[in-house]
mmCIF file of all heavy atoms in Angstrom:
data_model
loop_
_atom_site.group_PDB
_atom_site.id
_atom_site.type_symbol
_atom_site.label_atom_id
_atom_site.label_comp_id
_atom_site.label_asym_id
_atom_site.label_seq_id
_atom_site.Cartn_x
_atom_site.Cartn_y
_atom_site.Cartn_z
ATOM 1 N N LYS A 76 1.198 35.143 -26.569
ATOM 2 C CA LYS A 76 0.937 35.972 -25.394
ATOM 3 C C LYS A 76 -0.101 35.327 -24.468
ATOM 4 O O LYS A 76 -0.341 35.803 -23.369
ATOM 5 C CB LYS A 76 0.515 37.386 -25.786
ATOM 6 C CG LYS A 76 -0.863 37.529 -26.397
ATOM 7 C CD LYS A 76 -1.195 39.009 -26.586
ATOM 8 C CE LYS A 76 -2.639 39.237 -26.997
ATOM 9 N NZ LYS A 76 -2.910 38.858 -28.391
ATOM 10 N N GLU A 77 -0.682 34.205 -24.927
ATOM 11 C CA GLU A 77 -1.648 33.460 -24.115
ATOM 12 C C GLU A 77 -1.083 32.128 -23.632
ATOM 13 O O GLU A 77 -1.838 31.224 -23.278
ATOM 14 C CB GLU A 77 -2.925 33.201 -24.926
ATOM 15 C CG GLU A 77 -3.682 34.451 -25.319
ATOM 16 C CD GLU A 77 -4.796 34.150 -26.310
ATOM 17 O OE1 GLU A 77 -5.869 33.684 -25.883
ATOM 18 O OE2 GLU A 77 -4.578 34.356 -27.518
ATOM 19 N N ASP A 78 0.230 31.992 -23.590
ATOM 20 C CA ASP A 78 0.830 30.735 -23.155
ATOM 21 C C ASP A 78 0.497 30.432 -21.689
ATOM 22 O O ASP A 78 0.599 31.301 -20.829
ATOM 23 C CB ASP A 78 2.357 30.767 -23.335
ATOM 24 C CG ASP A 78 2.767 30.582 -24.795
ATOM 25 O OD1 ASP A 78 1.925 30.141 -25.601
ATOM 26 O OD2 ASP A 78 3.936 30.869 -25.121
ATOM 27 N N ALA A 79 0.125 29.176 -21.440
ATOM 28 C CA ALA A 79 -0.277 28.732 -20.102
ATOM 29 C C ALA A 79 0.935 28.369 -19.249
ATOM 30 O O ALA A 79 1.941 27.873 -19.760
ATOM 31 C CB ALA A 79 -1.208 27.523 -20.217
ATOM 32 N N GLY A 80 0.820 28.614 -17.943
ATOM 33 C CA GLY A 80 1.891 28.286 -17.002
ATOM 34 C C GLY A 80 1.365 27.530 -15.801
ATOM 35 O O GLY A 80 0.150 27.337 -15.636
ATOM 36 N N VAL A 81 2.294 27.103 -14.956
ATOM 37 C CA VAL A 81 1.960 26.322 -13.768
ATOM 38 C C VAL A 81 2.932 26.676 -12.640
ATOM 39 O O VAL A 81 4.120 26.873 -12.886
ATOM 40 C CB VAL A 81 2.097 24.801 -14.061
ATOM 41 C CG1 VAL A 81 2.030 23.988 -12.787
ATOM 42 C CG2 VAL A 81 1.013 24.334 -15.010
ATOM 43 N N VAL A 82 2.416 26.764 -11.408
ATOM 44 C CA VAL A 82 3.267 26.771 -10.217
ATOM 45 C C VAL A 82 2.826 25.573 -9.372
ATOM 46 O O VAL A 82 1.673 25.494 -8.959
ATOM 47 C CB VAL A 82 3.122 28.065 -9.385
ATOM 48 C CG1 VAL A 82 4.057 28.029 -8.175
ATOM 49 C CG2 VAL A 82 3.408 29.295 -10.246
ATOM 50 N N CYS A 83 3.741 24.623 -9.162
ATOM 51 C CA CYS A 83 3.426 23.407 -8.406
ATOM 52 C C CYS A 83 3.833 23.541 -6.944
ATOM 53 O O CYS A 83 4.689 24.359 -6.594
ATOM 54 C CB CYS A 83 4.153 22.203 -9.011
ATOM 55 S SG CYS A 83 3.806 21.917 -10.763
ATOM 56 N N SER A 84 3.256 22.689 -6.110
ATOM 57 C CA SER A 84 3.507 22.766 -4.661
ATOM 58 C C SER A 84 4.961 22.479 -4.296
ATOM 59 O O SER A 84 5.454 22.970 -3.281
ATOM 60 C CB SER A 84 2.595 21.789 -3.916
ATOM 61 O OG SER A 84 2.814 20.457 -4.357
ATOM 62 N N GLU A 85 5.663 21.672 -5.109
ATOM 63 C CA GLU A 85 7.056 21.348 -4.781
ATOM 64 C C GLU A 85 8.046 22.418 -5.263
ATOM 65 O O GLU A 85 9.246 22.282 -5.056
ATOM 66 C CB GLU A 85 7.436 19.990 -5.356
ATOM 67 C CG GLU A 85 6.644 18.833 -4.762
ATOM 68 C CD GLU A 85 6.790 18.711 -3.251
ATOM 69 O OE1 GLU A 85 7.900 18.388 -2.794
ATOM 70 O OE2 GLU A 85 5.797 18.941 -2.534
ATOM 71 N N HIS A 86 7.542 23.450 -5.937
ATOM 72 C CA HIS A 86 8.395 24.587 -6.299
ATOM 73 C C HIS A 86 8.805 25.331 -5.035
ATOM 74 O O HIS A 86 8.010 25.507 -4.125
ATOM 75 C CB HIS A 86 7.638 25.526 -7.237
ATOM 76 C CG HIS A 86 8.250 26.892 -7.344
ATOM 77 N ND1 HIS A 86 9.445 27.118 -7.950
ATOM 78 C CD2 HIS A 86 7.824 28.096 -6.879
ATOM 79 C CE1 HIS A 86 9.741 28.408 -7.873
ATOM 80 N NE2 HIS A 86 8.778 29.015 -7.232
ATOM 81 N N GLN A 87 10.069 25.744 -4.982
ATOM 82 C CA GLN A 87 10.545 26.560 -3.862
ATOM 83 C C GLN A 87 11.072 27.889 -4.393
ATOM 84 O O GLN A 87 11.776 27.916 -5.396
ATOM 85 C CB GLN A 87 11.692 25.860 -3.120
ATOM 86 C CG GLN A 87 11.303 24.545 -2.463
ATOM 87 C CD GLN A 87 12.465 23.921 -1.712
ATOM 88 O OE1 GLN A 87 13.328 24.617 -1.186
ATOM 89 N NE2 GLN A 87 12.497 22.598 -1.669
ATOM 90 N N GLU A 88 10.700 28.969 -3.712
ATOM 91 C CA GLU A 88 11.349 30.250 -4.001
ATOM 92 C C GLU A 88 11.667 30.919 -2.675
ATOM 93 O O GLU A 88 11.097 30.575 -1.643
ATOM 94 C CB GLU A 88 10.484 31.137 -4.899
ATOM 95 C CG GLU A 88 9.176 31.566 -4.302
ATOM 96 C CD GLU A 88 8.304 32.302 -5.315
ATOM 97 O OE1 GLU A 88 7.633 31.660 -6.135
ATOM 98 O OE2 GLU A 88 8.304 33.540 -5.260
ATOM 99 N N TRP A 89 12.594 31.865 -2.727
ATOM 100 C CA TRP A 89 13.111 32.437 -1.482
ATOM 101 C C TRP A 89 13.069 33.957 -1.511
ATOM 102 O O TRP A 89 13.103 34.571 -2.575
ATOM 103 C CB TRP A 89 14.564 31.990 -1.267
ATOM 104 C CG TRP A 89 14.700 30.503 -1.211
ATOM 105 C CD1 TRP A 89 14.603 29.708 -0.094
ATOM 106 C CD2 TRP A 89 14.918 29.610 -2.296
ATOM 107 N NE1 TRP A 89 14.748 28.392 -0.436
ATOM 108 C CE2 TRP A 89 14.941 28.294 -1.776
ATOM 109 C CE3 TRP A 89 15.093 29.788 -3.672
ATOM 110 C CZ2 TRP A 89 15.129 27.172 -2.581
ATOM 111 C CZ3 TRP A 89 15.275 28.676 -4.472
ATOM 112 C CH2 TRP A 89 15.294 27.374 -3.922
ATOM 113 N N ARG A 90 13.016 34.541 -0.319
ATOM 114 C CA ARG A 90 13.138 35.993 -0.186
ATOM 115 C C ARG A 90 13.796 36.282 1.159
ATOM 116 O O ARG A 90 13.788 35.443 2.074
ATOM 117 C CB ARG A 90 11.762 36.656 -0.265
ATOM 118 C CG ARG A 90 10.862 36.358 0.926
ATOM 119 C CD ARG A 90 9.469 36.934 0.745
ATOM 120 N NE ARG A 90 8.631 36.651 1.917
ATOM 121 C CZ ARG A 90 7.313 36.795 1.941
ATOM 122 N NH1 ARG A 90 6.673 37.200 0.851
ATOM 123 N NH2 ARG A 90 6.627 36.535 3.048
ATOM 124 N N LEU A 91 14.368 37.465 1.252
ATOM 125 C CA LEU A 91 14.916 37.946 2.522
ATOM 126 C C LEU A 91 14.040 39.099 2.988
ATOM 127 O O LEU A 91 13.797 40.039 2.226
ATOM 128 C CB LEU A 91 16.374 38.386 2.336
ATOM 129 C CG LEU A 91 17.324 37.257 1.905
ATOM 130 C CD1 LEU A 91 18.719 37.801 1.652
ATOM 131 C CD2 LEU A 91 17.365 36.152 2.951
ATOM 132 N N SER A 92 13.531 39.020 4.198
ATOM 133 C CA SER A 92 12.596 40.045 4.666
ATOM 134 C C SER A 92 13.139 40.773 5.884
ATOM 135 O O SER A 92 13.883 40.200 6.687
ATOM 136 C CB SER A 92 11.239 39.416 5.005
ATOM 137 O OG SER A 92 11.330 38.659 6.185
ATOM 138 N N GLY A 93 12.780 42.047 5.987
ATOM 139 C CA GLY A 93 13.134 42.837 7.164
ATOM 140 C C GLY A 93 14.502 43.483 7.112
ATOM 141 O O GLY A 93 14.894 44.166 8.051
ATOM 142 N N GLY A 94 15.236 43.294 6.019
ATOM 143 C CA GLY A 94 16.563 43.900 5.898
ATOM 144 C C GLY A 94 16.506 45.208 5.146
ATOM 145 O O GLY A 94 15.437 45.694 4.790
ATOM 146 N N ARG A 95 17.678 45.765 4.875
ATOM 147 C CA ARG A 95 17.715 47.082 4.214
ATOM 148 C C ARG A 95 17.329 46.990 2.741
ATOM 149 O O ARG A 95 16.926 47.972 2.126
ATOM 150 C CB ARG A 95 19.116 47.697 4.361
ATOM 151 C CG ARG A 95 20.201 46.844 3.731
ATOM 152 C CD ARG A 95 21.566 47.489 3.698
ATOM 153 N NE ARG A 95 22.461 46.639 2.911
ATOM 154 C CZ ARG A 95 23.268 45.738 3.431
ATOM 155 N NH1 ARG A 95 23.318 45.564 4.732
ATOM 156 N NH2 ARG A 95 24.022 44.997 2.649
ATOM 157 N N ASP A 96 17.501 45.799 2.135
ATOM 158 C CA ASP A 96 17.075 45.600 0.746
ATOM 159 C C ASP A 96 16.832 44.105 0.546
ATOM 160 O O ASP A 96 16.807 43.339 1.517
ATOM 161 C CB ASP A 96 18.131 46.134 -0.245
ATOM 162 C CG ASP A 96 19.476 45.445 -0.104
ATOM 163 O OD1 ASP A 96 19.543 44.344 0.485
ATOM 164 O OD2 ASP A 96 20.478 46.011 -0.584
ATOM 165 N N GLY A 97 16.643 43.684 -0.692
ATOM 166 C CA GLY A 97 16.338 42.289 -0.986
ATOM 167 C C GLY A 97 17.507 41.340 -0.794
ATOM 168 O O GLY A 97 17.382 40.145 -1.035
ATOM 169 N N CYS A 98 18.659 41.859 -0.355
ATOM 170 C CA CYS A 98 19.856 41.031 -0.161
ATOM 171 C C CYS A 98 20.244 40.885 1.306
ATOM 172 O O CYS A 98 21.367 40.503 1.628
ATOM 173 C CB CYS A 98 21.024 41.606 -0.959
ATOM 174 S SG CYS A 98 20.852 41.362 -2.745
ATOM 175 N N ALA A 99 19.330 41.215 2.202
ATOM 176 C CA ALA A 99 19.607 41.071 3.635
ATOM 177 C C ALA A 99 18.301 40.834 4.372
ATOM 178 O O ALA A 99 17.255 41.368 3.990
ATOM 179 C CB ALA A 99 20.289 42.331 4.174
ATOM 180 N N GLY A 100 18.363 40.021 5.427
ATOM 181 C CA GLY A 100 17.186 39.827 6.255
ATOM 182 C C GLY A 100 16.966 38.389 6.658
ATOM 183 O O GLY A 100 17.843 37.537 6.513
#
């Protein structure tokens, strides 16, 4: 439960904003 993690600068994640739900925008 104490396992270490990392988020690096070259990681990409995406989101849709301003739409009716997380699948539009």
Side-chain angles (χ1 to χ4, degrees):
K76 71 174 189 287
E77 296 170 80
D78 284 344
V81 169
V82 181
C83 303
S84 59
E85 296 301 293
H86 163 69
Q87 297 182 31
E88 64 187 81
W89 301 271
R90 68 185 181 194
L91 297 176
S92 72
R95 60 173 188 264
D96 60 18
C98 288

